[in-house]
């Protein structure tokens, strides 16, 4: 059960994406109401506002038409693609949640899985808390490297808890149904657990292709954006010390 749930969540989490996509975040980025801010030493060094005006250390840059067009395209790309990193993690969590709900509905007592659902919901809140500070979306520096290393211990503990709760809930629900049918048949109980396991694996496989493709597409988009950033720095050399993407 742990391996299945891990596959469903880790499949598209920041950790999995970070391991498969050769890119990371060089400097911390804040997104708020159309403004992109690049931070160093906890201070906003570069700010691109909603009007596509760029400020470095508080001083506005005067851009020519070519520079302005390149900046606007880059600004739009950052706002569009960076939040999708968290969307991927939420997609993985959604798979685990949907599968749990479907399995629960197959039992006479679906409430037996409420504990599993709460653990998944709590994990979803934890993921989002890592990236949202009030109304500001924050991508920390080296986020994908951290996701594939230090965050993994936290992730594995959560999965362990969800897995244990899932197995306890399944055995409890199945045993209760058998009692009502005249008694617990342990051979039948084992068979039904194996059937449930096979059903979960099938559902994960069905959903995985779609989300794996989304992860691949996002990686391609972010790599394109990183290349776009390099070209922008050639046009606006003042930005070279404040890059977002690191390939």
């Amino acid at each position: 059960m742990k391996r299945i749930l891990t596959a469903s969540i880790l499949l598209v989490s920041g950790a999995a994406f970070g391991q498969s996509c050769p890119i990371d975040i060089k400097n911390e980025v804040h997104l708020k109401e159309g403004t992109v801010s690049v931070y160093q030493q906890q201070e906003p060094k570069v700010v691109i506002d909603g009007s596509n005006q760029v400020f470095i250390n508080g001083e506005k840059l005067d851009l020519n038409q070519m520079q302005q067009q390149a900046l606007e395209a880059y600004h739009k790309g950052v706002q569009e693609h960076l939040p999708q990193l968290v969307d991927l993690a939420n997609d993985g969590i959604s798979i685990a949640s949907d599968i749990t709900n479907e399995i629960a509905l197959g039992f006479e007592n679906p409430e037996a899985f409420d504990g599993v659902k709460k653990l998944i919901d709590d994990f979803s809140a934890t993921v989002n808390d890592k990236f949202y500070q009030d109304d500001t979306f924050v991508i920390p520096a080296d986020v994908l490297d951290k996701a594939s290393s230090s965050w993994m211990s936290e992730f594995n503990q959560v999965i362990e808890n969800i897995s244990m709760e899932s197995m306890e809930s399944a055995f409890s629900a199945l045993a209760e149904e058998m009692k009502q049918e005249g008694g617990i048949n342990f051979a039948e109980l084992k068979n039904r657990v194996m059937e449930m396991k096979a059903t979960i694996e099938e559902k994960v496989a069905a959903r995985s292709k779609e989300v794996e493709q989304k992860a691949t597409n996002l990686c391609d988009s972010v790599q394109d954006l990183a290349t776009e950033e390099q070209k922008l720095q050639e046009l606006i050399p003042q930005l070279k010390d404040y890059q977002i993407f690191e390939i």
Side-chain angles (χ1 to χ4, degrees):
M1 180 72 75
K2 179 180 179 182
R3 183 179 65 81
I4 301 169
L5 288 171
T6 300
S8 65
I9 296 178
L10 184 58
L11 173 69
V12 288
S13 70
F17 183 84
Q19 291 169 354
S20 62
C21 193
I23 201 163
D24 209 340
I25 304 299
K26 175 74 171 180
N27 289 298
E28 182 175 306
V29 185
H30 291 212
L31 307 181
K32 180 179 179 181
E33 298 176 352
T35 295
V36 174
S37 303
V38 181
Y39 276 61
Q40 290 180 349
Q41 290 81 50
Q42 300 181 331
E43 295 289 337
K45 299 297 184 179
V46 173
V47 175
I48 308 173
D49 66 18
S51 299
N52 289 297
Q53 301 298 317
V54 60
F55 300 82
I56 297 181
N57 294 315
E59 295 186 9
K60 180 178 176 295
L61 298 185
D62 292 324
L63 306 179
N64 60 38
Q65 184 177 5
M66 181 179 295
Q67 291 172 322
Q68 190 67 51
Q69 289 176 344
L71 179 74
E72 290 179 10
Y74 172 73
H75 185 205
K76 179 181 179 181
V78 169
Q79 293 181 88
E80 177 182 354
H81 295 305
L82 282 189
Q84 291 177 15
L85 293 172
V86 181
D87 291 342
L88 284 178
N90 285 326
D91 281 347
I93 294 168
S94 177
I95 290 175
S97 179
D98 291 347
I99 291 173
T100 299
N101 288 331
E102 289 181 34
I103 295 298
L105 291 175
F107 290 88
E108 295 179 4
N109 181 27
E111 293 81 9
F113 288 81
D114 285 352
V116 182
K117 296 176 184 179
K118 184 179 185 305
L119 286 174
I120 293 174
D121 288 343
D122 289 346
F123 181 55
S124 177
T126 298
V127 169
N128 284 280
D129 285 346
K130 288 184 181 296
F131 295 97
Y132 286 94
Q133 298 177 7
D134 297 325
D135 57 348
T136 302
F137 180 74
V138 178
I139 295 286
D142 303 318
V143 62
L144 297 179
D145 181 61
K146 292 175 182 176
S148 61
S149 56
S150 62
W151 289 2
M152 284 304 297
S153 59
E154 176 184 346
F155 174 85
N156 285 331
Q157 184 59 56
V158 170
I159 295 300
E160 183 71 40
N161 293 339
I162 292 175
S163 300
M164 290 178 62
E165 185 71 25
S166 297
M167 289 304 298
E168 290 175 3
S169 298
F171 274 106
S172 175
L174 286 170
E176 184 61 30
E177 288 184 15
M178 287 184 174
K179 283 182 182 179
Q180 295 176 5
E181 294 170 357
I184 298 177
N185 182 320
F186 287 101
E188 178 64 19
L189 178 62
K190 178 180 178 181
N191 288 336
R192 293 185 65 177
V193 169
M194 294 301 293
E195 289 174 1
M196 183 183 69
K197 177 176 178 290
T199 298
I200 294 174
E201 289 178 333
E202 181 180 350
K203 292 181 182 298
V204 169
R207 296 281 298 273
S208 66
K209 292 182 180 179
E210 175 187 347
V211 292
E212 284 177 338
Q213 187 60 55
K214 288 176 67 175
T216 297
N217 291 343
L218 178 56
C219 182
D220 291 342
S221 296
V222 172
Q223 287 182 291
D224 289 344
L225 190 55
T227 300
E228 190 176 327
E229 181 181 62
Q230 292 174 343
K231 294 178 180 178
L232 180 66
Q233 291 170 350
E234 293 175 2
L235 289 172
I236 310 175
Q238 298 94 319
L239 296 175
K240 286 188 176 180
D241 293 331
Y242 310 104
Q243 71 187 79
I244 293 177
F245 302 103
E246 184 173 46
I247 301 177

